[in-house]
Amino acid sequence: MQQFPPVNILPNGDKPYIIKDFLRNRILLFIFSLLLALILGCQTLGSPPKSTEILWDTYGIPHIYARDSASAFRAFGWAQMQSHGNLLLRLYGQARGRAAEYWGEDYIDSDRWVLTMGVPERARVWYEAQDASFRSYLDAFANGINTYVKENPDAISDEVKVVLPVTGEDILAHLQRVLNFTFVVSPEQVAGINNSESKAGSNGWAIAPSRSASGNAMLLANPHLPWSDLYLWYEAQITAPGIDAYGASLVGIPVLNIAFNDNLGWTHTVNTHDGWDAYQLELAGDGYRFDGKVRPFETKNVSLKVKQNDGTLQEQPLVVKNSVHGPVVSQTDDKTIALRVVGLDQSHVLEQWWDMARSQNLLEFEKALQRLQLPMFTVIYADRKGHIMHLFNGLVPVRESGDFTYWQSLIPGNTSKTLWTNNHPYQDLPRVIDPPSGWLQNANDPPWTTTFPVAIKPDKHPSYMAPRFMDFRAQSSVRMLDEDKKITFNEMVKYKHSTRMDFADRILDDLIPAARKYGSELGQRAVNVLEKWDRQANADSKGAVLFAAWAEELDFDEAFSKPWSQDAPRTTPDGLANPQDAVILLETVATKVEKAYGKLDVAWGEVFRLKYGNVNLPGNGGDGYLGIFRVVNFAPSENGQFKPVAGDSYVAAIEFSQPVKAMALMSYGNSSQPGSRHSVDQLPLFARQQLRPVWRTKKDIEAHLETRQLF
């Protein structure tokens, strides 16, 4: 207890002045201490720094500390240029529809698609529609790009400098090209009239405290995209007043698309979302029939310029026709097709992502989601309070009739009965929060199989909302989550790298006895290899090459005696419909494998190589249709070998402990610039099936600091 000095009371009752001075000093000292504590407290809580800086760690990941949001956007633009400058400018040139003008005839099809879809004009409309403050953020990102080139002219290829200067409109044009006209619908999908075709996939997990060994919620982010072009991810941390988020964005996008902070995080997977339709028009004279009347096309003449080998420009006329459905994308003597795409009037996608990263709890996060600016992608979410969520996010057209399969084909365009004009509101979308199972997953399967017992009932939603199926990768995902009742952080990382082929587990019990019964000498040798195989696709797995080659030739629609059933979603399909044919196919494949590699039991890593840049390592992982959770899509290379072209790209494993625990990996490195040491520096970790620690505090970052840049 504080001891005060003795007090003498004067005859008149007054206290000596020394006591008054003492009390006054004590009060002043208390006030001074309080002010000091407040000042220091504000600094501890993240008061804005006097200047903006980028701390580059030893993996080439930028950690941005900005004095305000505009400065953060400017620094992020600068950082992306340092890491991906050549690619970024080329992507922006394509988004303008002027790539053929800049770089020649190889880009004619790209320009024709962008101009037909009206991307440049719509980008201007979107730019003007932005809130003034967010528009200034886009301008700041563009300024960071332009300033980087001014200050580092030799770091960027002369070939792409023709795109400069970059503007805020370029950012929004690129966003449209990526989201609406690549992910929602691509030229390849239109050509095949196949809504389900996609180059992209992903895994996502959310684990509640009830199933976590630590009692903390956990999140796994694991997109699978091509390892090139507009699909490349970029890892970064952005810290400014109101935000401290870590994650990844696609190159050229000025906000994080997958991210976490101290309180929550989310990931995306490509969902079974139908956000476009192809309408077959009934021509009449110079127009088309619609609801019994002939309507004229809205026609616009566009000049498509193409750079010639001698540097001159040749102009090609491009006539863009629009019906009430949208632009005409194909016209032959007997068929005219118009395209309708969702989200073209949703101009605030970037601001929504930005606010998702700034959210601190589920209520704030959902408030951002409810704007429905993002045209597609599943959202898998977890937070510090233990909540987990699966949202089948997207702009889903309200359709009068027809199931999911119907809307995958050509739609009659002569009636307003098939023309959708509205989208389902947020409350209509398939969604579950905190299911009894304690876990959620998505492996590009429909939302009905996100957890078991089934938490989202398909019959409560329109039949066109999403299809009904569950492939082997999704079944593998569910199996791992369901089998482990208390999952540790390290186990989650281990499961993420699983190369087990669940399809092999399902079918070998039928194939092996069939080969024993019907197989020739070659068939017997092949089945001996398959019996000894560990059913993994690890570098040293012997038998995986033979089995995968057999599966590649198998017609999955006809192969099974028991097709997939929603009544037994985790154990079907099963059984060989024609065992003898399966054995004949095995022997045919075995002949090819033995001829190509000199043996049937060739190791997976001898054939499937992690060849990227100047690195060439034994590979692991494989195609998801085999039930492999660790997805790597390989393409033929040389000498009978294969190299990665897509699959596991950005991976983040997060536990919402105090402090947050996180590990991550960017498979191909965090830079694509020529000569960068960070273009392949993470691939050896990828080969070893390891993640690296995420450094988020200044203390940890500075302990692994490569460069510091001040702005």
Side-chain angles (χ1 to χ4, degrees):
M1 178 179 289
Q2 175 68 51
Q3 297 295 315
F4 290 92
V7 178
N8 295 319
I9 305 300
L10 297 177
N12 62 4
D14 290 339
K15 296 177 182 179
Y17 283 108
I18 188 172
I19 300 303
K20 295 181 180 179
D21 290 342
F22 173 81
L23 292 174
R24 180 191 63 200
N25 292 339
R26 293 285 294 183
I27 292 170
L28 290 174
L29 179 62
F30 173 76
I31 293 172
F32 175 77
S33 300
L34 181 61
L35 289 173
L36 182 61
L38 287 172
I39 292 170
L40 292 175
C42 288
Q43 290 177 345
T44 302
L45 291 172
S47 60
K50 293 181 180 179
S51 61
T52 295
E53 62 180 356
I54 304 177
L55 304 182
W56 295 88
D57 71 27
T58 49
Y59 283 103
I61 296 159
H63 303 262
I64 296 168
Y65 290 87
R67 62 179 177 268
D68 52 41
S69 296
S71 299
F73 275 80
R74 181 176 181 271
F76 198 29
W78 173 288
Q80 289 204 27
M81 283 301 291
Q82 179 163 310
S83 303
H84 292 288
N86 290 350
L87 172 62
L88 186 150
L89 291 180
R90 193 172 293 272
L91 294 176
Y92 282 9
Q94 289 179 264
R96 287 178 183 171
R98 298 177 64 185
E101 175 186 341
Y102 297 151
W103 305 301
E105 62 182 8
D106 290 345
Y107 292 89
I108 291 177
D109 289 342
S110 171
D111 285 355
R112 186 176 289 117
W113 173 251
V114 167
L115 295 173
T116 300
M117 295 301 107
V119 170
E121 297 91 334
R122 191 178 300 107
R124 288 191 284 273
V125 174
W126 280 21
Y127 180 77
E128 293 301 324
Q130 301 300 307
D131 175 85
S133 61
F134 200 81
R135 191 186 308 125
S136 72
Y137 300 163
L138 299 182
D139 292 340
F141 186 82
N143 178 264
I145 292 170
N146 298 328
T147 303
Y148 178 85
V149 181
K150 288 180 182 177
E151 298 184 9
N152 301 273
D154 295 335
I156 302 299
S157 170
D158 290 338
E159 186 181 39
V160 296
K161 290 179 182 177
V162 65
V163 178
L164 297 167
V166 165
T167 68
E169 292 177 10
D170 290 320
I171 300 166
L172 294 171
H174 173 64
L175 175 71
Q176 280 184 51
R177 180 171 176 256
V178 170
L179 283 185
N180 303 89
F181 301 113
T182 298
F183 279 97
V184 174
V185 61
S186 68
E188 295 80 9
Q189 288 173 298
V190 172
I193 312 300
N194 178 3
N195 288 19
S196 61
E197 179 187 334
S198 175
K199 297 179 181 178
S202 301
N203 298 322
W205 283 2
I207 300 170
S210 63
R211 296 298 293 270
S212 166
S214 66
N216 300 313
M218 296 191 294
L219 179 71
L220 175 67
N222 181 206
H224 308 148
L225 294 182
W227 287 17
S228 60
D229 201 50
L230 57 78
Y231 301 97
L232 283 189
W233 289 101
Y234 186 57
E235 188 173 354
Q237 179 179 2
I238 299 176
T239 303
I243 188 169
D244 185 359
Y246 191 105
S249 64
L250 293 173
V251 172
I253 304 296
V255 295
L256 298 175
N257 311 135
I258 292 173
F260 68 95
N261 56 42
D262 282 336
N263 293 303
L264 59 81
W266 80 92
T267 188
H268 289 309
T269 62
V270 173
N271 49 351
T272 53
H273 168 265
D274 179 6
W276 67 278
D277 284 303
Y279 290 87
Q280 182 168 344
L281 304 184
E282 184 181 329
L283 298 184
D286 293 331
Y288 60 98
R289 295 189 185 279
F290 187 75
D291 282 347
K293 298 179 181 179
V294 176
R295 299 185 61 144
F297 288 102
E298 293 183 8
T299 303
K300 179 175 61 175
N301 294 311
V302 179
S303 177
L304 197 161
K305 298 178 181 179
V306 183
K307 185 178 181 179
Q308 305 300 298
N309 291 333
D310 61 2
T312 60
L313 293 179
Q314 181 188 83
E315 292 195 22
Q316 294 187 8
L318 175 63
V319 179
V320 178
K321 292 182 177 181
N322 276 276
S323 69
V324 294
H325 314 83
V328 172
V329 292
S330 175
Q331 187 163 6
T332 60
D333 292 339
D334 61 343
K335 191 178 295 183
T336 299
I337 299 172
L339 183 67
R340 191 165 188 80
V341 184
V342 299
L344 303 187
D345 55 353
Q346 309 298 105
S347 57
H348 299 285
V349 181
L350 296 176
E351 188 173 11
Q352 177 177 311
W353 261 324
W354 176 250
D355 287 343
M356 287 162 64
R358 296 171 66 237
S359 300
Q360 297 301 309
N361 54 53
L362 179 58
L363 182 64
E364 293 179 5
F365 189 78
E366 278 208 278
K367 187 176 179 181
L369 286 176
Q370 288 166 3
R371 303 174 199 171
L372 286 181
Q373 297 295 300
L374 189 59
M376 64 175 291
F377 301 132
T378 295
V379 177
I380 298 286
Y381 166 98
D383 67 27
R384 182 186 294 281
K385 291 185 177 180
H387 297 301
I388 61 174
M389 178 178 70
H390 174 131
L391 172 67
F392 183 83
N393 172 75
L395 298 170
V396 180
V398 177
R399 295 168 166 125
E400 286 193 14
S401 61
D403 60 12
F404 193 87
T405 300
Y406 170 80
W407 289 95
Q408 306 308 293
S409 58
L410 269 177
I411 306 301
N414 60 355
T415 171
S416 56
K417 292 181 179 180
T418 61
L419 182 67
W420 43 264
T421 56
N422 296 308
N423 300 314
H424 281 274
Y426 183 81
Q427 60 266 27
D428 287 359
L429 302 177
R431 166 177 161 273
V432 60
I433 297 175
D434 299 335
S437 64
W439 55 265
L440 295 164
Q441 71 82 35
N442 188 258
N444 309 119
D445 47 321
W448 331 123
T449 50
T450 185
T451 196
F452 291 89
V454 172
I456 305 177
K457 308 291 186 180
D459 291 339
K460 292 186 177 181
H461 298 273
S463 59
Y464 58 71
M465 182 72 72
R468 302 187 186 188
F469 70 84
M470 190 179 190
D471 61 20
F472 286 111
R473 175 162 56 95
Q475 293 181 32
S476 172
S477 176
V478 166
R479 173 182 56 77
M480 290 187 287
L481 285 165
D482 200 34
E483 287 178 352
D484 193 336
K485 304 306 179 184
K486 290 291 182 180
I487 303 174
T488 67
F489 181 83
N490 289 339
E491 284 173 335
M492 182 172 70
V493 172
K494 177 184 176 182
Y495 298 153
K496 184 270 141 307
H497 291 105
S498 172
T499 68
R500 189 168 191 86
M501 293 189 190
D502 273 40
F503 173 48
D505 288 335
R506 183 70 51 80
I507 209 69
L508 282 181
D509 61 344
D510 296 298
L511 180 60
I512 289 173
R516 291 295 184 209
K517 182 177 181 179
Y518 302 113
S520 64
E521 182 272 339
L522 177 61
Q524 300 302 320
R525 287 195 293 116
V527 81
N528 287 340
V529 171
L530 294 179
E531 279 188 320
K532 295 177 182 178
W533 170 44
D534 62 6
R535 302 188 182 183
Q536 313 274 338
N538 291 323
D540 58 355
S541 295
K542 296 181 178 181
V545 172
L546 176 62
F547 182 80
W550 175 76
E552 177 71 21
E553 299 297 326
L554 200 65
D555 183 347
F556 271 58
D557 292 333
E558 305 292 335
F560 302 101
S561 59
K562 186 186 298 183
W564 184 84
S565 167
Q566 64 182 23
D567 295 326
R570 299 167 59 183
T571 57
T572 55
D574 195 12
L576 287 170
N578 193 321
Q580 285 183 279
D581 285 352
V583 174
I584 292 172
L585 179 62
L586 176 63
E587 292 180 344
T588 300
V589 167
T591 300
K592 295 178 181 178
V593 169
E594 195 165 49
K595 180 179 180 180
Y597 308 112
K599 51 187 175 182
L600 293 177
D601 62 347
V602 59
W604 184 262
E606 290 183 35
V607 177
F608 294 90
R609 308 291 298 177
L610 294 178
K611 185 177 181 182
Y612 191 83
N614 59 1
V615 174
N616 190 347
L617 298 168
N620 61 81
D623 283 309
Y625 78 90
L626 296 169
I628 299 175
F629 196 66
R630 202 283 166 77
V631 172
V632 184
N633 304 117
F634 292 91
S637 181
E638 64 273 332
N639 302 321
Q641 294 181 333
F642 294 80
K643 63 181 180 180
V645 292
D648 273 14
S649 41
Y650 177 64
V651 180
I654 304 112
E655 179 180 328
F656 289 98
S657 52
Q658 290 184 329
V660 171
K661 181 178 182 180
M663 301 188 76
L665 194 77
M666 189 68 74
S667 304
Y668 35 68
N670 213 39
S671 174
S672 61
Q673 282 300 94
S676 171
R677 58 177 293 189
H678 301 300
S679 60
V680 290
D681 58 341
Q682 298 184 55
L683 203 54
L685 289 171
F686 183 92
R688 297 195 296 270
Q689 299 182 350
Q690 295 176 350
L691 304 182
R692 51 169 179 73
V694 167
W695 301 310
R696 292 180 62 231
T697 67
K698 269 201 171 183
K699 179 181 178 182
D700 287 341
I701 298 164
E702 289 177 339
H704 303 88
L705 188 65
E706 183 174 272
T707 309
R708 183 191 304 268
Q709 292 175 335
L710 295 176
F711 291 86

